[in-house]
Amino acid sequence: MTFNSDTEHSSASRCGYVAIVGRPNVGKSTLLNHILGQKISITSRKPQTTRNAVVGIKTEGDVQIIFVDTPGMHLGQQKAINRYMNKAATSAMKDVDVVVFVVDRFIWTEEDEAVAEKLQHVGCPIILAVNKVDQIEDKETLLPHLQVLSEKLSVAEIVPMSALRNTNLDRLETLITERLPEGIHMYPEDQITDRSSRFMAAEIVREKITRQLGDELPYEMAVEIEEFKQEGNLLNISALILVERDGQKKILIGDKGARIKLIGTEARVDMEKLFEMKIMLKLWVKVKSGWSDDERALRSLGYNEF
């Protein structure tokens, strides 16, 4: 597995960028992980789990697809962190070769409408991926709904699918590949993301917190890697977890430290799978009031791509 390798050029027939967009919680990150067969984008049932645009690279033979998993585009919440996420998603739609617009079954919201409006201005083919069709009991209702969507949106193709069940993902990949330009591969064939190992470690910790405390701990939580040092087959990682209030810190630590210990155990298991070595993980919790609405604090935490 390779992270942040130097770009390596080789002869290839097709290579291009594909943005995966949609409102929060429609399954964009799950879709990327299942296409890659490797978990690089964190997931939870909590909306807005993805905060950064995460690149996932799939190379098969003469085809290299560079996917960009984006934060869910959302309305209403106007903190600096929310503005950052919306900007990351909008920016990802520029200069790509294909856009995959993910929606959730029969559900169509104001946020879906807002995404659709933004897509009117992209100059590349759009594939509409109707996700979670495995949860539709009466499959006969699907075809009329797809017809309604085709009238609502100007898209190249509509693909009913289930990211979680791997249903119709091969069809989606085929449609994407057909629309990629001819060109050389931009990454080595064994590279699966352009993100650093430190970034991936921080995201794993944040996923475990979000999954355990999604309803109790709101979005005012961030993870910063303070130590990332390899000694032989042992990787020492120290992660600082930032929250905004003392009450959030108490919830995160739990009774006699039980909650933070469980988060650390679950994160370490995933890190050992990802980095393929033994992990020594230390977690710290610190209160930093107002960080999620502070532009300077966000930049210091790595939310500085624009």
Side-chain angles (χ1 to χ4, degrees):
M1 184 180 306
T2 306
F3 294 90
N4 264 1
S5 296
D6 293 332
T7 302
E8 194 175 276
H9 295 294
S10 60
S11 177
S13 61
R14 290 182 186 272
C15 180
Y17 281 86
V18 178
I20 304 174
V21 305
R23 64 171 171 82
N25 225 25
V26 291
K28 299 181 296 297
S29 297
T30 300
L31 173 60
L32 177 60
N33 290 340
H34 280 260
I35 286 176
L36 296 179
Q38 174 78 39
K39 183 175 181 176
I40 68 157
S41 200
I42 68 172
T43 61
S44 81
R45 293 184 179 182
K46 192 73 174 174
Q48 301 172 31
T49 300
T50 300
R51 287 181 180 169
N52 301 78
V54 177
V55 169
I57 305 153
K58 182 166 185 177
T59 307
E60 279 193 357
D62 289 339
V63 177
Q64 184 172 85
I65 310 175
I66 306 165
F67 291 97
V68 185
D69 181 26
T70 64
M73 295 188 211
H74 53 284
L75 304 170
Q77 299 176 10
Q78 291 304 317
K79 284 189 174 183
I81 186 68
N82 301 105
R83 293 193 296 274
Y84 170 86
M85 288 189 284
N86 279 335
K87 197 170 183 180
T90 302
S91 178
M93 292 190 286
K94 300 175 183 176
D95 303 321
V96 295
D97 300 293
V98 181
V99 169
V100 176
F101 177 18
V102 184
V103 297
D104 184 348
R105 294 162 294 170
F106 299 147
I107 303 168
W108 184 267
T109 70
E110 277 188 280
E111 290 176 326
D112 291 304
E113 192 69 45
V115 178
E117 287 178 10
K118 287 184 181 293
L119 289 175
Q120 291 178 6
H121 307 292
V122 303
C124 65
I126 300 166
I127 298 173
L128 182 65
V130 183
N131 195 20
K132 307 181 186 179
V133 296
D134 56 306
Q135 298 177 22
I136 299 173
E137 292 184 8
D138 184 359
K139 295 297 190 286
E140 291 185 5
T141 60
L142 181 58
L143 194 57
H145 178 62
L146 297 182
Q147 181 63 35
V148 170
L149 289 176
S150 69
E151 294 169 0
K152 184 186 292 284
L153 300 162
S154 177
V155 296
E157 298 279 354
I158 299 179
V159 182
M161 47 154 269
S162 169
L164 192 61
R165 306 296 178 194
N166 282 328
T167 303
N168 232 12
L169 298 194
D170 53 347
R171 172 65 177 158
L172 178 61
E173 281 191 67
T174 297
L175 293 172
I176 290 169
T177 300
E178 291 172 353
R179 289 163 173 79
L180 294 181
E182 293 187 1
I184 60 172
H185 289 185
M186 299 181 68
Y187 294 93
E189 65 177 25
D190 65 338
Q191 186 166 344
I192 61 165
T193 184
D194 68 340
R195 289 292 186 173
S196 69
S197 298
R198 293 176 76 105
F199 173 85
M200 299 298 289
E203 286 289 270
I204 288 171
V205 174
R206 196 165 63 80
E207 179 191 63
K208 301 313 174 190
I209 296 169
T210 305
R211 286 191 167 196
Q212 285 204 35
L213 296 168
D215 295 327
E216 297 176 72
L217 190 67
Y219 304 113
E220 294 93 1
M221 175 271 297
V223 179
E224 183 177 11
I225 301 299
E226 294 193 317
E227 180 190 30
F228 196 94
K229 184 178 181 182
Q230 184 175 347
E231 298 175 346
N233 195 43
L234 176 67
L235 185 58
N236 291 288
I237 301 174
S238 294
L240 175 65
I241 304 166
L242 291 179
V243 294
E244 295 209 335
R245 296 188 295 277
D246 286 327
Q248 295 171 344
K249 180 177 179 178
K250 290 177 183 177
I251 291 171
L252 190 51
I253 293 174
D255 184 32
K256 298 179 181 177
R259 178 63 58 70
I260 195 73
K261 183 178 179 181
L262 180 58
I263 289 167
T265 299
E266 292 184 350
R268 181 175 51 77
V269 169
D270 274 17
M271 288 180 189
E272 289 183 344
K273 289 179 184 175
L274 182 65
F275 300 128
E276 298 176 343
M277 64 179 66
K278 186 170 177 58
I279 304 293
M280 179 67 71
L281 177 63
K282 297 177 183 177
L283 300 179
W284 313 92
V285 185
K286 179 181 178 181
V287 177
K288 186 178 178 68
S289 180
W291 74 264
S292 64
D293 202 23
D294 182 333
E295 301 280 358
R296 287 181 62 184
L298 288 170
R299 284 194 294 273
S300 73
L301 288 166
Y303 298 101
N304 56 355
E305 297 176 358
F306 308 105

